[in-house]
């Protein structure tokens, strides 16, 4: 049986590209709740499904290493004429690539390798210079600067819109580990088998056509999805009947608010889920998803006070808080938000605590700097700062321009 690849077993099975950890940290980016398909299968090795393929990723200080598994089970099905899901452009470009037996080194195939490298660059949006953004955010926000010294390399993924949407419909009243289990069961029940490694089977994400079938709701209820089962099936059916298969990807080309409002017409999609999909799959870097967790960050770390002492997160309050962060961080506000969200997760608290123990003097210096620059923000009901801005905040304009992937 094929096993999960490990870099120490031999680098000739792997491909690589230059990428320093300050631009990408796999352990933070893949485990902070953006995608639910990645697992750490060996120390520092992450295995998951992306673009209809199974990958294992790992990294050294200045290099990103990747191994893509062959798809023997899928190829066997093709031989007997079993119909499969539609393949995306990345898969089509790889048609005709040589398939090796599991465990054998793949031949150097320039075309194949170029496509896989481009898939990774697109998925991690490596054209965006994260270190430059961190510097800009740190200049505008002293609290961010303190967090950024610990949580470097948190990038925003550019996921498949279908997978992102239907995964985030599962997030309602849920937590990351349980969402991961639900998404895995969804793929096992309705997705195309890809391969098996160390007794673990990997599946592609189901298509919209598959999810729209009338039998899906009952199937997912049996798998423990509860009320979310209906939302998943009905949203898929509405997209198929009203918009068509290309609609979701087409939302990448429309303005942020138009895309968000379009998503909100789907069953089970509120403002927070719509913003997550906009940010994590539709190229809307200004989208700032707000949930109670982010609201607590705003109140605790930015002295945000809602008008009239609101105690529930309404759409109006969602807009006020997200506008506040957009004004502070600029056009990549959603990316900055993901860094603070990651830093506040319980699973990463040990990283924060161990780093603070090593740098007590530096932390005190930063606190004193923030005190001297008067980082207190008093907000009116619209979320706009009405008091004198600190020197840090006056530097909030971003000069970074996003290069869209064509």
């Amino acid at each position: 049986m094929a096993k999960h690849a490990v870099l120490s077993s031999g680098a000739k099975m792997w491909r690589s590209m230059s990428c320093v950890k300050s631009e990408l940290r796999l352990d933070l980016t893949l485990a902070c709740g953006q995608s639910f398909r990645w697992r750490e299968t060996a120390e520092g090795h992450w295995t998951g499904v992306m673009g209809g393929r199974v990958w294992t990723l790992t990294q050294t200080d200045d290099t990103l290493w990747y191994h893509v598994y062959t798809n023997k089970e899928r190829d066997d099905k093709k031989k007997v004429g079993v119909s499969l899901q539609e393949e995306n452009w990345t898969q089509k470009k790889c048609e005709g690539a040589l398939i090796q037996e599991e465990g054998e080194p793949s031949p150097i195939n320039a075309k194949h390798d170029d496509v896989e490298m481009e898939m990774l660059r697109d998925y991690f949006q490596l054209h965006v210079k994260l270190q430059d953004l961190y510097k800009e955010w740190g200049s505008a926000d002293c609290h961010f600067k303190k967090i950024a010294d610990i949580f470097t390399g948190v990038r925003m993924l550019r996921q498949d819109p279908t997978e992102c949407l239907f995964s985030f419909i599962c997030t309602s009243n849920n937590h990351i580990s349980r969402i991961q289990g639900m998404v895995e069961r969804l793929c096992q029940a309705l997705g195309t088998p890809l391969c098996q490694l160390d007794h673990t089977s990997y599946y592609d994400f189901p298509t919209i056509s598959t999810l729209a079938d009338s039998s899906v709701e009952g199937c997912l209820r049996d798998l423990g999805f509860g009320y979310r089962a209906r939302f998943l099936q009905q949203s898929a059916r509405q997209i198929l009947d009203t918009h068509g298969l290309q609609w979701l990807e087409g939302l990448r080309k429309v303005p942020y608010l138009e895309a968000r409002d379009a998503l909100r017409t789907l069953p089970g999609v509120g403002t927070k889920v719509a913003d997550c999909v906009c940010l994590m799959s539709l190229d809307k870097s200004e989208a700032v998803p707000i949930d109670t967790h982010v609201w607590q960050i705003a109140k605790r770390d930015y002295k945000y006070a809602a008008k009239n002492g609101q105690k529930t997160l309404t759409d109006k309050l969602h807009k006020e808080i997200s506008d506040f962060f957009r004004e502070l961080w600029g056009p990549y506000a959603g990316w900055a938000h993901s860094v603070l969200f990651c830093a506040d997760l319980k699973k990463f608290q040990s990283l924060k605590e161990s780093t603070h123990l090593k740098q007590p003097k530096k932390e005190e210096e930063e606190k004193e700097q923030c005190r001297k620059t008067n980082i207190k923000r008093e907000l009116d009901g619209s979320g706009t700062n009405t008091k004198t801005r600190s020197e840090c905040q006056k530097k909030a304009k971003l000069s970074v321009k996003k290069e869209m992937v064509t």
Side-chain angles (χ1 to χ4, degrees):
M1 178 177 291
K3 297 182 178 298
H4 291 96
V6 180
L7 184 60
S8 59
S9 297
K12 65 181 180 179
M13 289 290 297
W14 295 73
R15 300 288 181 259
S16 66
M17 67 175 74
S18 297
C19 184
V20 296
K21 286 189 174 181
S22 55
E23 284 293 325
L24 168 64
R25 273 190 58 175
L26 294 175
D27 58 336
L28 300 179
T29 301
L30 297 179
C32 68
Q34 295 187 57
S35 171
F36 306 101
R37 305 296 310 277
W38 296 92
R39 303 290 187 278
E40 191 173 18
T41 48
E43 185 176 358
H45 291 65
W46 294 83
T47 302
V49 179
M50 184 266 291
R53 297 156 178 258
V54 181
W55 307 66
T56 292
L57 310 177
T58 191
Q59 62 186 149
T60 48
D61 287 341
D62 59 0
T63 304
L64 175 63
W65 296 85
Y66 60 96
H67 176 83
V68 184
Y69 299 89
T70 58
N71 193 349
K72 296 173 72 177
E73 186 170 6
R74 186 185 186 123
D75 293 330
D76 290 343
K77 287 192 174 185
K78 284 184 178 179
K79 289 177 183 177
V80 297
V82 177
S83 81
L84 300 168
Q85 294 179 329
E86 307 85 28
E87 295 186 315
N88 60 26
W89 69 272
T90 53
Q91 291 169 284
K92 289 178 180 178
K93 282 188 176 182
C94 293
E95 286 180 358
L98 294 177
I99 302 298
Q100 293 294 108
E101 291 296 317
E102 292 291 353
E104 293 183 4
S106 299
I108 295 176
N109 183 315
K111 180 180 179 181
H112 196 183
D113 192 37
D114 287 348
V115 170
E116 290 171 350
M117 187 175 293
E118 184 56 35
M119 290 174 71
L120 279 183
R121 291 187 184 281
D122 181 71
Y123 187 67
F124 288 112
Q125 305 195 74
L126 294 178
H127 62 283
V128 177
K129 301 303 181 184
L130 192 61
Q131 293 178 81
D132 292 345
L133 287 173
Y134 267 61
K135 288 177 183 177
E136 296 285 354
W137 296 327
S139 296
D141 177 358
C142 289
H143 175 70
F144 181 91
K145 184 177 181 181
K146 179 177 67 175
I147 296 298
D149 287 342
I150 307 167
F151 291 87
T152 59
V154 180
R155 298 192 72 86
M156 186 55 55
L157 302 175
R158 188 177 192 252
Q159 301 177 62
D160 173 75
T162 298
E163 178 175 334
C164 189
L165 170 63
F166 289 95
S167 294
F168 273 92
I169 290 176
C170 297
T171 64
S172 175
N173 298 315
N174 225 335
H175 54 80
I176 292 176
S177 61
R178 187 162 181 265
I179 298 163
Q180 287 177 326
M182 293 176 71
V183 171
E184 196 58 40
R185 294 195 299 275
L186 176 68
C187 295
Q188 290 172 357
L190 303 173
T192 301
L194 295 177
C195 68
Q196 189 175 51
L197 305 169
D198 291 321
H199 301 286
T200 299
S201 296
Y202 291 88
Y203 298 80
D204 206 354
F205 200 86
T207 63
I208 291 177
S209 299
T210 300
L211 290 165
D213 190 271
S214 59
S215 65
V216 164
E217 180 179 349
C219 171
L220 295 182
R221 284 189 180 274
D222 291 342
L223 293 174
F225 280 67
Y227 63 89
R228 303 173 193 86
R230 177 169 55 88
F231 291 150
L232 289 163
Q233 191 274 330
Q234 288 185 353
S235 288
R237 175 50 58 189
Q238 183 170 316
I239 292 172
L240 203 60
D241 292 347
T242 307
H243 305 292
L245 291 173
Q246 303 305 314
W247 176 69
L248 276 177
E249 192 164 338
L251 293 179
R252 286 176 167 169
K253 299 177 182 178
V254 306
Y256 158 54
L257 291 179
E258 182 180 339
R260 189 190 69 181
D261 290 345
L263 290 170
R264 289 186 62 190
T265 65
L266 300 174
V269 180
T271 304
K272 180 251 184 177
V273 169
D275 271 340
C276 286
V277 178
C278 283
L279 175 63
M280 301 172 192
S281 69
L282 298 181
D283 304 327
K284 317 304 181 194
S285 60
E286 70 270 40
V288 182
I290 305 297
D291 58 10
T292 55
H293 185 70
V294 177
W295 187 12
Q296 290 302 316
I297 292 174
K299 291 190 291 186
R300 182 191 66 217
D301 300 325
Y302 294 89
K303 311 305 178 188
Y304 183 92
K307 186 177 180 181
N308 300 325
Q310 284 181 278
K311 295 184 179 180
T312 57
L313 188 55
T314 62
D315 282 347
K316 182 175 183 295
L317 186 56
H318 185 123
K319 180 180 184 304
E320 291 174 0
I321 299 173
S322 57
D323 283 347
F324 165 65
F325 282 128
R326 273 189 286 271
E327 182 181 353
L328 176 62
W329 294 323
Y332 279 78
W335 288 52
H337 145 278
S338 71
V339 178
L340 296 189
F341 183 88
C342 177
D344 218 52
L345 292 174
K346 290 182 180 179
K347 67 171 71 178
F348 297 130
Q349 292 313 296
S350 59
L351 175 62
K352 186 186 297 185
E353 291 165 4
S354 63
T355 307
H356 282 330
L357 288 174
K358 295 177 183 177
Q359 300 178 334
K361 183 177 180 181
K362 185 174 182 180
E363 184 177 354
E364 288 303 315
E365 289 173 351
E366 289 172 343
K367 287 182 179 179
E368 180 65 12
Q369 179 186 357
C370 284
R371 186 188 68 79
K372 288 180 179 180
T373 52
N374 189 26
I375 299 292
K376 183 177 180 181
R377 299 177 178 86
E378 297 181 19
L379 307 172
D380 63 13
S382 66
T384 304
N385 193 344
T386 59
K387 298 295 180 180
T388 303
R389 291 172 173 239
S390 68
E391 187 175 339
C392 284
Q393 288 174 287
K394 291 179 181 178
K395 298 177 182 178
K397 294 182 179 180
L398 293 177
S399 61
V400 181
K401 294 183 178 180
K402 185 173 183 181
E403 302 174 17
M404 297 296 293
V405 176
T406 57

